[in-house]
Amino acid sequence: MYGVSTRVAVKAIEPSRRILLDWNLEDRPTEVEFLFESRGKATWVEIINRGFEDSDEGLAEAFDAKEGFTLVLAGAKLWLEQAIEPRFILDRFPDRVRETWKQR
């Protein structure tokens, strides 16, 4: 969509409970932990992203990561629960979308 990617290393998987990985290995790595908690017919998902540099730039990266994970998680929820393909991820930065994605 945007031509953006990152390398990750999976450190731990506990089925239906937790995924732990190192994120953004090429640049400024951080650790990301996905926690899953069953709540009846639903699942609570918590994402913890830690290891940012203690600086203004690190703070900006942390807020950017939070925004990105929140947006993708909200889109996944909408897609999985309502079978609706949300466009808000695609529409977030419309001027940066690759031409091949604009035709979809």
Side-chain angles (χ1 to χ4, degrees), residues 16-90:
S16 301
R17 186 172 173 275
R18 173 178 176 251
I19 300 171
L20 179 66
L21 50 90
D22 283 334
W23 181 268
N24 198 21
L25 296 175
E26 301 286 323
D27 192 18
R28 294 186 174 147
T30 60
E31 187 176 75
V32 180
E33 186 172 22
F34 299 84
L35 300 172
F36 307 94
E37 179 185 327
S38 179
R39 294 190 178 181
K41 292 183 178 181
T43 301
W44 179 261
V45 180
E46 183 176 2
I47 302 172
I48 303 166
N49 194 186
R50 57 185 159 257
F52 292 96
E53 191 176 290
D54 187 10
S55 66
D56 289 344
E57 189 174 344
L59 185 61
E61 289 173 358
F63 280 118
D64 188 48
K66 179 184 177 188
E67 177 186 21
F69 282 123
T70 300
L71 194 63
V72 171
L73 189 58
K77 180 177 174 51
L78 186 60
W79 183 67
L80 290 167
E81 292 179 0
Q82 305 299 321
I84 296 171
E85 185 174 340
R87 289 197 44 90
F88 56 78
I89 295 171
L90 182 62

Side-chain angles (χ1 to χ4, degrees), residues 1-4 71 85-104:
M1 177 181 317
Y2 295 112
V4 176
L71 194 63
E85 185 174 340
R87 289 197 44 90
F88 56 78
I89 295 171
L90 182 62
D91 293 341
R92 177 64 177 95
F93 300 103
D95 295 336
R96 297 184 193 160
V97 176
R98 288 183 160 187
E99 267 317 305
T100 54
W101 275 86
K102 289 180 181 178
Q103 293 142 9
R104 292 181 181 199

